[in-house]
Short mmCIF file of all heavy atoms in Angstrom, two decimals:
data_model
loop_
_atom_site.label_atom_id
_atom_site.label_comp_id
_atom_site.label_asym_id
_atom_site.label_seq_id
_atom_site.Cartn_x
_atom_site.Cartn_y
_atom_site.Cartn_z
N MET A 1 -24.99 100.03 36.71
CA MET A 1 -24.08 99.56 35.77
C MET A 1 -22.81 100.55 35.76
O MET A 1 -23.15 101.68 35.49
CB MET A 1 -24.63 99.32 34.29
CG MET A 1 -23.66 98.66 33.37
SD MET A 1 -23.88 96.81 33.44
CE MET A 1 -25.45 96.59 32.85
N ALA A 2 -21.71 100.14 35.98
CA ALA A 2 -20.48 100.93 35.99
C ALA A 2 -20.23 101.49 34.65
O ALA A 2 -20.48 100.87 33.60
CB ALA A 2 -19.37 100.24 36.49
N TYR A 3 -19.50 102.64 34.61
CA TYR A 3 -18.95 103.18 33.28
C TYR A 3 -17.85 102.15 32.79
O TYR A 3 -17.12 101.64 33.68
CB TYR A 3 -18.53 104.58 33.42
CG TYR A 3 -19.74 105.57 33.14
CD1 TYR A 3 -20.88 105.50 33.93
CD2 TYR A 3 -19.66 106.57 32.25
CE1 TYR A 3 -21.91 106.45 33.70
CE2 TYR A 3 -20.58 107.39 32.05
CZ TYR A 3 -21.72 107.38 32.74
OH TYR A 3 -22.77 108.25 32.60
N LYS A 4 -17.55 102.26 31.51
CA LYS A 4 -16.51 101.48 30.96
C LYS A 4 -15.72 102.38 29.98
O LYS A 4 -16.24 103.28 29.31
CB LYS A 4 -16.89 100.29 30.22
CG LYS A 4 -17.33 99.15 31.18
CD LYS A 4 -17.56 97.75 30.54
CE LYS A 4 -17.92 96.73 31.37
NZ LYS A 4 -18.19 95.38 30.71
N ILE A 5 -14.42 102.20 29.88
CA ILE A 5 -13.49 103.05 28.99
C ILE A 5 -13.19 102.10 27.71
O ILE A 5 -12.63 101.05 27.90
CB ILE A 5 -12.29 103.39 29.74
CG1 ILE A 5 -12.74 104.55 30.79
CG2 ILE A 5 -11.16 104.10 28.70
CD1 ILE A 5 -11.51 104.96 31.65
N SER A 6 -13.53 102.70 26.52
CA SER A 6 -13.24 101.88 25.33
C SER A 6 -11.74 102.00 24.90
O SER A 6 -11.03 102.80 25.48
CB SER A 6 -14.20 102.40 24.23
OG SER A 6 -13.58 103.72 23.81
N ASP A 7 -11.40 101.27 23.81
CA ASP A 7 -10.12 101.34 23.39
C ASP A 7 -9.69 102.71 22.61
O ASP A 7 -8.60 102.82 22.18
CB ASP A 7 -9.93 100.13 22.22
CG ASP A 7 -9.91 98.90 22.93
OD1 ASP A 7 -9.77 98.70 24.12
OD2 ASP A 7 -10.15 97.87 22.16
N GLU A 8 -10.77 103.53 22.60
CA GLU A 8 -10.52 104.94 22.00
C GLU A 8 -9.63 105.65 22.85
O GLU A 8 -9.02 106.71 22.63
CB GLU A 8 -11.78 105.64 21.75
CG GLU A 8 -12.78 104.94 20.79
CD GLU A 8 -12.13 104.82 19.49
OE1 GLU A 8 -11.54 105.72 18.90
OE2 GLU A 8 -12.01 103.61 19.00
N CYS A 9 -9.43 105.40 24.14
CA CYS A 9 -8.60 105.94 25.21
C CYS A 9 -7.27 106.34 24.72
O CYS A 9 -6.55 105.41 24.19
CB CYS A 9 -8.66 105.23 26.45
SG CYS A 9 -7.61 105.99 27.80
N ILE A 10 -6.88 107.59 24.92
CA ILE A 10 -5.56 108.07 24.43
C ILE A 10 -4.57 108.30 25.77
O ILE A 10 -3.50 108.91 25.70
CB ILE A 10 -5.53 109.31 23.52
CG1 ILE A 10 -6.26 110.52 24.39
CG2 ILE A 10 -6.29 109.03 22.35
CD1 ILE A 10 -6.17 111.74 23.58
N CYS A 11 -5.10 107.70 26.85
CA CYS A 11 -4.38 107.83 28.24
C CYS A 11 -3.90 109.27 28.52
O CYS A 11 -2.77 109.47 29.00
CB CYS A 11 -3.11 107.01 28.15
SG CYS A 11 -3.54 105.32 27.75
N CYS A 12 -4.74 110.27 28.41
CA CYS A 12 -4.50 111.68 28.68
C CYS A 12 -4.48 111.87 30.20
O CYS A 12 -4.01 112.69 30.88
CB CYS A 12 -5.34 112.50 28.07
SG CYS A 12 -7.08 112.56 28.71
N GLY A 13 -5.30 111.01 30.96
CA GLY A 13 -5.33 111.12 32.34
C GLY A 13 -6.41 112.01 32.95
O GLY A 13 -6.57 112.23 34.14
N ALA A 14 -7.17 112.71 32.04
CA ALA A 14 -8.05 113.79 32.60
C ALA A 14 -9.23 113.13 33.37
O ALA A 14 -9.70 113.85 34.44
CB ALA A 14 -8.77 114.49 31.32
N CYS A 15 -9.65 112.02 33.10
CA CYS A 15 -10.83 111.50 33.79
C CYS A 15 -10.39 110.96 35.14
O CYS A 15 -11.12 111.11 36.12
CB CYS A 15 -11.28 110.23 33.06
SG CYS A 15 -10.17 108.88 32.72
N GLU A 16 -9.18 110.52 35.37
CA GLU A 16 -8.67 110.05 36.55
C GLU A 16 -8.76 111.25 37.62
O GLU A 16 -9.25 110.96 38.83
CB GLU A 16 -7.22 109.51 36.49
CG GLU A 16 -6.71 109.05 37.94
CD GLU A 16 -5.23 108.50 37.71
OE1 GLU A 16 -4.57 108.81 36.74
OE2 GLU A 16 -4.93 107.70 38.67
N ALA A 17 -8.43 112.39 37.31
CA ALA A 17 -8.41 113.53 38.15
C ALA A 17 -9.86 114.00 38.48
O ALA A 17 -9.97 114.53 39.43
CB ALA A 17 -7.76 114.76 37.52
N GLU A 18 -10.82 113.72 37.50
CA GLU A 18 -12.24 114.17 37.80
C GLU A 18 -13.04 113.21 38.70
O GLU A 18 -14.13 113.61 39.15
CB GLU A 18 -12.87 114.34 36.41
CG GLU A 18 -12.36 115.55 35.64
CD GLU A 18 -12.62 116.88 36.52
OE1 GLU A 18 -13.68 117.04 37.02
OE2 GLU A 18 -11.68 117.76 36.47
N CYS A 19 -12.64 111.82 38.60
CA CYS A 19 -13.47 110.85 39.30
C CYS A 19 -13.59 111.18 40.84
O CYS A 19 -12.53 111.14 41.45
CB CYS A 19 -12.98 109.55 39.08
SG CYS A 19 -14.01 108.22 39.93
N PRO A 20 -14.82 111.36 41.31
CA PRO A 20 -15.02 111.69 42.76
C PRO A 20 -14.62 110.46 43.67
O PRO A 20 -14.49 110.74 44.98
CB PRO A 20 -16.46 112.29 42.87
CG PRO A 20 -17.07 111.43 41.71
CD PRO A 20 -16.11 111.34 40.67
N VAL A 21 -14.67 109.36 43.19
CA VAL A 21 -14.40 108.19 44.06
C VAL A 21 -13.21 107.41 43.64
O VAL A 21 -12.94 106.31 44.08
CB VAL A 21 -15.70 107.20 44.03
CG1 VAL A 21 -16.83 107.93 44.49
CG2 VAL A 21 -15.98 106.85 42.70
N SER A 22 -12.27 107.94 42.90
CA SER A 22 -10.98 107.42 42.48
C SER A 22 -11.03 106.02 41.99
O SER A 22 -10.39 105.12 42.31
CB SER A 22 -10.09 107.45 43.66
OG SER A 22 -9.82 108.72 44.19
N ALA A 23 -12.13 105.85 40.98
CA ALA A 23 -12.37 104.57 40.53
C ALA A 23 -11.46 104.23 39.20
O ALA A 23 -11.38 103.14 38.69
CB ALA A 23 -13.78 104.45 40.13
N ILE A 24 -10.82 105.42 38.73
CA ILE A 24 -10.09 105.28 37.51
C ILE A 24 -8.63 105.22 37.73
O ILE A 24 -7.99 105.97 38.49
CB ILE A 24 -10.47 106.48 36.56
CG1 ILE A 24 -12.02 106.49 36.44
CG2 ILE A 24 -9.75 106.26 35.20
CD1 ILE A 24 -12.43 107.81 35.61
N SER A 25 -7.95 104.28 37.03
CA SER A 25 -6.45 104.22 37.05
C SER A 25 -5.96 103.86 35.69
O SER A 25 -6.62 103.30 34.83
CB SER A 25 -6.10 103.17 38.09
OG SER A 25 -6.67 101.87 37.77
N ALA A 26 -4.58 104.04 35.58
CA ALA A 26 -3.98 103.66 34.37
C ALA A 26 -3.73 102.25 34.19
O ALA A 26 -3.45 101.58 35.22
CB ALA A 26 -2.51 104.38 34.34
N GLY A 27 -4.20 101.70 33.04
CA GLY A 27 -4.12 100.35 32.73
C GLY A 27 -3.11 99.88 31.66
O GLY A 27 -2.25 100.77 31.48
N ASP A 28 -3.38 98.81 31.07
CA ASP A 28 -2.46 98.53 30.03
C ASP A 28 -2.83 98.87 28.66
O ASP A 28 -3.66 98.49 28.06
CB ASP A 28 -2.33 96.86 30.00
CG ASP A 28 -1.42 96.32 28.86
OD1 ASP A 28 -0.53 97.16 28.49
OD2 ASP A 28 -1.39 95.21 28.65
N GLY A 29 -2.37 100.03 28.34
CA GLY A 29 -2.65 100.61 27.02
C GLY A 29 -3.91 101.63 27.11
O GLY A 29 -4.23 102.40 26.19
N LYS A 30 -4.70 101.68 28.09
CA LYS A 30 -5.81 102.53 28.31
C LYS A 30 -6.01 102.64 29.80
O LYS A 30 -5.59 101.71 30.60
CB LYS A 30 -7.01 102.11 27.51
CG LYS A 30 -7.70 100.73 28.07
CD LYS A 30 -8.91 100.44 27.28
CE LYS A 30 -9.60 99.23 27.92
NZ LYS A 30 -10.88 98.81 27.19
N TYR A 31 -6.89 103.60 30.14
CA TYR A 31 -7.25 103.71 31.51
C TYR A 31 -8.45 102.82 31.83
O TYR A 31 -9.10 102.51 30.79
CB TYR A 31 -7.64 105.23 31.84
CG TYR A 31 -6.39 106.14 32.24
CD1 TYR A 31 -5.29 106.16 31.37
CD2 TYR A 31 -6.31 106.65 33.45
CE1 TYR A 31 -4.22 106.88 31.69
CE2 TYR A 31 -5.33 107.59 33.80
CZ TYR A 31 -4.16 107.59 32.97
OH TYR A 31 -3.04 108.35 33.33
N VAL A 32 -8.63 102.44 33.13
CA VAL A 32 -9.73 101.50 33.39
C VAL A 32 -10.44 101.93 34.60
O VAL A 32 -10.00 102.66 35.44
CB VAL A 32 -9.13 100.06 33.72
CG1 VAL A 32 -8.41 99.44 32.49
CG2 VAL A 32 -8.01 100.17 34.86
N ILE A 33 -11.76 101.51 34.62
CA ILE A 33 -12.54 101.91 35.75
C ILE A 33 -12.92 100.72 36.76
O ILE A 33 -13.24 99.60 36.07
CB ILE A 33 -13.94 102.41 35.17
CG1 ILE A 33 -13.71 103.83 34.43
CG2 ILE A 33 -14.97 102.68 36.28
CD1 ILE A 33 -14.83 104.30 33.67
N ASP A 34 -12.71 100.89 37.86
CA ASP A 34 -13.08 99.83 38.76
C ASP A 34 -14.71 99.82 38.93
O ASP A 34 -15.29 100.61 39.51
CB ASP A 34 -12.47 99.93 40.17
CG ASP A 34 -12.77 98.75 41.04
OD1 ASP A 34 -12.01 97.81 41.02
OD2 ASP A 34 -13.70 98.94 42.00
N ALA A 35 -15.20 98.63 38.41
CA ALA A 35 -16.70 98.56 38.38
C ALA A 35 -17.41 98.63 39.79
O ALA A 35 -18.39 99.15 39.98
CB ALA A 35 -17.08 97.32 37.73
N GLY A 36 -16.60 98.02 40.80
CA GLY A 36 -17.29 98.09 42.09
C GLY A 36 -17.13 99.39 42.79
O GLY A 36 -17.85 99.63 43.71
N THR A 37 -16.37 100.36 42.30
CA THR A 37 -16.18 101.63 42.98
C THR A 37 -16.99 102.71 42.20
O THR A 37 -17.44 103.59 43.00
CB THR A 37 -14.76 101.90 42.99
OG1 THR A 37 -13.94 100.99 43.58
CG2 THR A 37 -14.35 103.35 43.68
N CYS A 38 -17.18 102.59 40.94
CA CYS A 38 -17.82 103.66 40.08
C CYS A 38 -19.32 103.89 40.66
O CYS A 38 -20.04 102.97 40.80
CB CYS A 38 -17.92 103.17 38.65
SG CYS A 38 -18.80 104.25 37.53
N ILE A 39 -19.68 105.25 40.70
CA ILE A 39 -20.97 105.51 41.16
C ILE A 39 -21.72 106.02 39.96
O ILE A 39 -22.97 106.68 40.16
CB ILE A 39 -20.99 106.52 42.31
CG1 ILE A 39 -20.21 107.85 41.94
CG2 ILE A 39 -20.40 105.92 43.58
CD1 ILE A 39 -20.25 108.85 42.97
N GLU A 40 -21.33 106.00 38.81
CA GLU A 40 -22.03 106.43 37.65
C GLU A 40 -22.33 107.85 37.55
O GLU A 40 -23.47 108.17 37.06
CB GLU A 40 -23.37 105.55 37.49
CG GLU A 40 -23.10 104.09 37.49
CD GLU A 40 -24.33 103.18 37.68
OE1 GLU A 40 -25.31 103.44 37.03
OE2 GLU A 40 -24.34 102.28 38.53
N CYS A 41 -21.48 108.56 37.99
CA CYS A 41 -21.68 110.13 38.06
C CYS A 41 -21.57 110.61 36.52
O CYS A 41 -22.11 111.73 36.32
CB CYS A 41 -20.87 110.78 38.90
SG CYS A 41 -19.13 110.93 38.43
N GLY A 42 -20.86 110.04 35.68
CA GLY A 42 -20.66 110.60 34.39
C GLY A 42 -19.52 111.68 34.29
O GLY A 42 -19.34 112.27 33.09
N ALA A 43 -18.93 112.03 35.29
CA ALA A 43 -17.84 113.02 35.15
C ALA A 43 -16.71 112.64 34.21
O ALA A 43 -16.29 113.45 33.45
CB ALA A 43 -17.26 113.28 36.54
N CYS A 44 -16.42 111.39 34.20
CA CYS A 44 -15.27 110.98 33.28
C CYS A 44 -15.67 111.21 31.77
O CYS A 44 -14.91 111.67 30.92
CB CYS A 44 -14.95 109.60 33.54
SG CYS A 44 -16.34 108.37 33.50
N ALA A 45 -16.90 110.85 31.44
CA ALA A 45 -17.39 110.95 30.09
C ALA A 45 -17.48 112.40 29.75
O ALA A 45 -17.16 112.89 28.60
CB ALA A 45 -18.69 110.43 29.90
N GLY A 46 -17.72 113.28 30.74
CA GLY A 46 -17.71 114.78 30.43
C GLY A 46 -16.44 115.38 29.99
O GLY A 46 -16.44 116.44 29.41
N VAL A 47 -15.29 114.90 30.70
CA VAL A 47 -14.07 115.50 30.39
C VAL A 47 -13.16 114.87 29.33
O VAL A 47 -12.20 115.39 28.95
CB VAL A 47 -13.22 115.50 31.67
CG1 VAL A 47 -13.92 116.49 32.74
CG2 VAL A 47 -12.90 114.16 32.26
N CYS A 48 -13.62 113.57 29.02
CA CYS A 48 -12.74 112.85 28.01
C CYS A 48 -12.82 113.51 26.65
O CYS A 48 -13.91 113.69 26.08
CB CYS A 48 -13.27 111.49 27.93
SG CYS A 48 -12.26 110.45 26.72
N PRO A 49 -11.56 113.71 26.07
CA PRO A 49 -11.56 114.43 24.64
C PRO A 49 -12.05 113.38 23.56
O PRO A 49 -12.14 113.94 22.42
CB PRO A 49 -10.07 114.87 24.62
CG PRO A 49 -9.35 113.81 25.42
CD PRO A 49 -10.33 113.52 26.73
N VAL A 50 -12.03 112.14 23.73
CA VAL A 50 -12.35 111.26 22.72
C VAL A 50 -13.63 110.52 22.95
O VAL A 50 -13.88 109.44 22.23
CB VAL A 50 -11.12 110.30 22.43
CG1 VAL A 50 -9.93 111.17 21.86
CG2 VAL A 50 -10.78 109.53 23.60
N GLY A 51 -14.30 110.76 23.95
CA GLY A 51 -15.51 109.97 24.30
C GLY A 51 -15.38 108.55 24.63
O GLY A 51 -16.24 107.82 24.31
N ALA A 52 -14.32 108.24 25.25
CA ALA A 52 -13.99 106.91 25.57
C ALA A 52 -14.88 106.29 26.62
O ALA A 52 -15.19 105.15 26.56
CB ALA A 52 -12.45 106.68 25.77
N PRO A 53 -15.23 106.90 27.70
CA PRO A 53 -15.95 106.39 28.80
C PRO A 53 -17.40 106.40 28.41
O PRO A 53 -18.02 107.37 27.81
CB PRO A 53 -15.82 107.30 30.05
CG PRO A 53 -14.56 108.15 29.69
CD PRO A 53 -14.63 108.28 28.16
N SER A 54 -18.16 105.36 28.71
CA SER A 54 -19.55 105.36 28.46
C SER A 54 -20.25 104.40 29.50
O SER A 54 -19.72 103.36 29.83
CB SER A 54 -19.95 104.85 27.01
OG SER A 54 -19.46 103.53 26.82
N ALA A 55 -21.61 104.57 29.63
CA ALA A 55 -22.35 103.66 30.53
C ALA A 55 -22.76 102.57 29.63
O ALA A 55 -23.32 102.78 28.48
CB ALA A 55 -23.50 104.40 31.11
N GLU A 56 -22.78 101.36 29.99
CA GLU A 56 -23.17 100.24 29.06
C GLU A 56 -24.54 99.45 29.73
O GLU A 56 -24.75 99.59 30.82
CB GLU A 56 -22.06 99.27 29.02
CG GLU A 56 -20.91 99.81 28.35
CD GLU A 56 -19.88 98.76 27.82
OE1 GLU A 56 -19.97 97.63 28.28
OE2 GLU A 56 -19.09 99.10 26.94
FE1 SF4 B 1 -15.68 107.83 38.32
FE2 SF4 B 1 -18.06 108.96 37.75
FE3 SF4 B 1 -16.58 108.03 35.81
FE4 SF4 B 1 -17.70 106.30 37.58
S1 SF4 B 1 -18.79 107.66 36.00
S2 SF4 B 1 -15.57 106.22 36.84
S3 SF4 B 1 -17.63 107.57 39.35
S4 SF4 B 1 -16.13 109.75 37.06
FE1 SF4 B 2 -8.56 108.02 28.31
FE2 SF4 B 2 -10.57 109.71 27.97
FE3 SF4 B 2 -9.71 109.11 30.52
FE4 SF4 B 2 -8.18 110.48 28.73
S1 SF4 B 2 -10.19 111.20 29.70
S2 SF4 B 2 -7.43 108.78 30.05
S3 SF4 B 2 -8.63 109.58 26.86
S4 SF4 B 2 -10.66 107.71 28.97
#
């Protein structure tokens, strides 16, 4: 199951730089994770200041 970014995202961009497979990109009002690319490493959740990314 890929990670997902909640509406808590403040668009800081930190997670995009940390993702080892470049699955994260800026979306409409929040960053988004490409489910087919995410390898569930958890790096995005580790750097997010507001805890927006989570495994569902
Ligand atoms: Fe990228 Fe890992 Fe976050 Fe998936 S869990 S979006 S692979 S940083
Ligand atoms: Fe949004 Fe968190 Fe990623 Fe920053 S690190 S862009 S707040 S999901």
